[in-house]
Amino acid sequence: MIGELVVSFFVIAGGIFAVAAGLGVLRLPDLLTRMHASTKAGTLGSGLILVAVAIAFAEGTVIARAVAAILFLLLTAPVAAHLIGRAAFRTGVPMVDRTVSEDGVAEALRKRPPEQPPE
């Protein structure tokens, strides 16, 4: 009984975060904020649902796979979001007027590294 309530809590909480991520992708104004919503809320929602799966099945192999999937999400989502955001900034994807950066950052990010001659 208590286990089912805990699993239900994690599934509902994960679903709420997943819906929030989806709404953020639909409603937010520019790439950087959409990317933030999808990576942060999407990763948390998926992680909570995987925790619910691990608790519900309570088998060693299922728990190991859930932990591995959560670790994979936590390691790859921020790195992918950073690289996508940097590429978008460098290529000049339009941002909302309220999006600001520190002095000199825009120029530094838009600079291309010097071409290296092939060896």
Side-chain angles (χ1 to χ4, degrees):
M1 174 75 178
I2 298 294
E4 292 173 357
L5 289 175
V6 171
V7 169
S8 299
F9 170 76
F10 280 116
V11 169
I12 290 170
I16 289 170
F17 277 105
V19 167
L23 288 175
V25 170
L26 287 174
R27 300 281 309 194
L28 291 173
D30 65 358
L31 177 89
L32 294 178
T33 54
R34 286 183 195 136
M35 183 181 57
H36 181 76
S38 67
T39 55
K40 303 293 184 203
T43 301
L44 182 58
S46 301
L48 289 173
I49 292 171
L50 285 167
V51 167
V53 167
I55 293 171
F57 287 101
E59 295 177 9
T61 58
V62 174
I63 294 170
R65 288 179 184 175
V67 169
I70 291 169
L71 288 175
F72 180 77
L73 284 170
L74 291 175
L75 291 173
T76 58
V79 174
H82 175 77
L83 293 175
I84 291 169
R86 187 176 176 140
F89 195 82
R90 277 189 170 190
T91 58
V93 172
M95 303 294 170
V96 174
D97 293 335
R98 296 182 312 245
T99 302
V100 295
S101 61
E102 294 179 14
D103 295 334
V105 172
E107 293 79 23
L109 285 175
R110 288 201 173 101
K111 265 195 321 193
R112 302 243 181 236
E115 294 291 326
Q116 299 290 332
E119 294 181 18

